[in-house]
Amino acid sequence: MMIGTDFIGRLGNQLFIYAFTRSLIERRQVKNERLLFNFKRSSAGSIEDGFCDSLQYFNVIPYETTTKDLILRYGSLWQKLAYLFYMFCSHVPFIITNDKVMKYIDCYMEKFNLFFTGAADKARPISSLKYDNVFIRGYFADRANFDAIRPILLSELTPIYAPLEHNKCLYEAASKENSVCISIRRGDYLNDKYKKNFYVCDENYFFHAIELIKKKIKDPIFIFFSDDIQWVREHFHDDDLPYFYESGNDPVWEKLRLMYSCHHFIISNSTFSWWAQYLGRREDKIVISPSSWYANPQWSSNLIDENFITIN
């Protein structure tokens, strides 16, 4: 018996997919279940930009990788037929643009333990797990998919490597009760291709969030993380408060651990940023986020938790 998963995107998205997969494994309770990841569909960018298997750096359960089509290779006859039906539907413009029809098709797929979704933020009800093999394709970016196994995730989503010595000062700052992780996503969000849908957290958002958290935390220690750290250094500095900056050159596993080691969080509309606060160990943490995850008003998300303090 196995669970086959298509891996898509960079670490933030990979963590959502792993968390959902991990929750299915806990539900099935199959001894020595095989876990197989397909990276063939992760062709959105280069390895240098983070589009690679980043789970290998964490204490996750054993898994295998392949470039083969999982369902055609390992699925039952009925799963293969349902899969071919889905692939046909995904090429019909009327169907893929009709949310109600796609929702019905998603539910139909689940009857064959094919968890397909084009919606990144939809919680997945699980009707049954009657087939030996389960196949997953989607982002599943909703904590409702895996919140029940959060203690397991806190243990497994830790790096296999020791903290880097050159970050000793950052870890000491992060361990303080008044430490605040500030995650600033720029990069591709500023490109015309993505800006209209994803550019939510501008400079004013972070200035507002910093002033807001100053009112809630005495003498906060701000630790900045960004894919454009030089821009951050030029725009965010304060002679009266300790400001720290991650170099921007650390490997992704080190950066995530530094971030979740902080006490409080000011996050961007980034899955990587979201996971930093979710993996934060402090139960009394303050999390500030944008009130909308997307710039596109027609898109919705379940990533803004009811306990977050939001800024319009």
Side-chain angles (χ1 to χ4, degrees):
M1 298 179 72
M2 63 165 282
I3 294 181
T5 304
D6 277 359
F7 247 31
I8 309 166
R10 290 178 282 197
L11 179 58
N13 287 326
Q14 290 178 23
L15 291 179
F16 278 115
I17 297 168
Y18 175 80
F20 177 61
T21 305
R22 192 68 178 85
S23 68
L24 286 182
I25 290 174
E26 285 300 301
R27 173 169 175 170
R28 277 159 65 92
Q29 291 292 305
V30 175
K31 186 177 182 180
N32 299 322
E33 180 156 51
R34 186 182 181 191
L35 180 56
L36 189 61
F37 291 138
N38 180 358
F39 280 84
K40 187 170 64 173
R41 300 181 70 243
S42 300
S43 57
S46 66
I47 292 176
E48 291 75 18
D49 289 333
F51 292 93
C52 58
D53 175 11
S54 295
L55 277 188
Q56 62 184 302
Y57 307 120
F58 294 85
N59 287 295
V60 297
I61 61 176
Y63 63 90
E64 306 169 47
T65 61
T66 182
T67 58
K68 298 182 183 297
D69 188 295
L70 296 172
I71 301 172
L72 295 181
R73 177 68 177 82
Y74 300 103
S76 70
L77 175 61
W78 286 108
Q79 286 176 318
K80 290 176 182 178
L81 291 174
Y83 174 56
L84 293 174
F85 167 73
Y86 181 89
M87 295 302 293
F88 169 78
C89 292
S90 67
H91 287 84
V92 179
F94 167 75
I95 294 178
I96 61 176
T97 57
N98 190 312
D99 290 341
K100 289 184 178 180
V101 174
M102 285 305 300
K103 184 177 180 180
Y104 175 81
I105 293 175
D106 280 345
C107 293
Y108 178 74
M109 291 297 102
E110 288 172 5
K111 295 182 183 298
F112 298 93
N113 293 157
L114 306 177
F115 295 89
F116 288 0
T117 175
D121 309 305
K122 181 169 55 176
R124 310 303 300 161
I126 303 171
S127 55
S128 68
L129 293 171
K130 62 183 179 180
Y131 288 86
D132 287 346
N133 296 336
V134 174
F135 300 96
I136 300 167
R137 179 180 295 174
Y139 292 100
F140 309 101
D142 186 332
R143 66 183 298 166
N145 290 318
F146 49 78
D147 218 23
I149 63 162
R150 185 168 181 265
I152 293 176
L153 296 175
L154 290 179
S155 173
E156 294 179 354
L157 299 182
T158 55
I160 60 177
Y161 305 111
L164 300 180
E165 183 63 26
H166 68 259
N167 285 324
K168 183 177 180 180
C169 290
L170 285 182
Y171 279 110
E172 290 178 354
S175 68
K176 304 296 184 183
E177 291 288 324
N178 54 342
S179 64
V180 182
C181 165
I182 303 182
S183 175
I184 300 180
R185 170 77 176 269
R186 285 172 58 78
D188 53 356
Y189 277 14
L190 300 179
N191 295 340
D192 291 339
K193 181 180 178 180
Y194 299 105
K195 191 171 185 177
K196 65 179 181 179
N197 292 324
F198 295 99
Y199 188 54
V200 173
C201 301
D202 59 11
E203 190 174 347
N204 289 329
Y205 162 77
F206 291 104
F207 282 130
H208 189 172
I210 288 171
E211 292 304 313
L212 181 59
I213 212 161
K214 284 179 181 178
K215 298 176 182 178
K216 297 181 174 295
I217 302 172
K218 183 179 180 181
D219 301 324
I221 299 172
F222 294 110
I223 306 176
F224 290 85
F225 301 83
S226 178
D227 53 2
D228 191 353
I229 202 65
Q230 185 57 40
W231 180 90
V232 173
R233 284 179 175 274
E234 294 171 359
H235 290 78
F236 296 91
H237 44 78
D238 193 325
D239 295 334
D240 298 324
L241 288 173
Y243 274 32
F244 293 84
Y245 308 88
E246 187 265 338
S247 68
N249 298 319
D250 287 311
V252 67
W253 50 267
E254 173 77 347
K255 186 176 295 190
L256 181 62
R257 178 170 50 201
L258 276 167
M259 292 169 73
Y260 73 61
S261 296
C262 294
H263 194 141
H264 307 288
F265 301 86
I266 296 174
I267 68 172
S268 301
N269 57 321
S270 152
T271 55
F272 187 73
S273 183
W274 188 93
W275 274 102
Q277 65 78 31
Y278 185 78
L279 296 175
R281 273 49 175 178
R282 311 295 185 96
E283 295 301 324
D284 61 339
K285 63 189 174 187
I286 295 172
V287 181
I288 296 179
S289 84
S291 60
S292 177
W293 201 256
Y294 300 113
N296 188 331
Q298 296 181 348
W299 294 5
S300 61
S301 170
N302 292 325
L303 292 180
I304 300 176
D305 195 85
E306 61 181 8
N307 296 319
F308 290 178
I309 298 173
T310 60
I311 295 177
N312 292 325

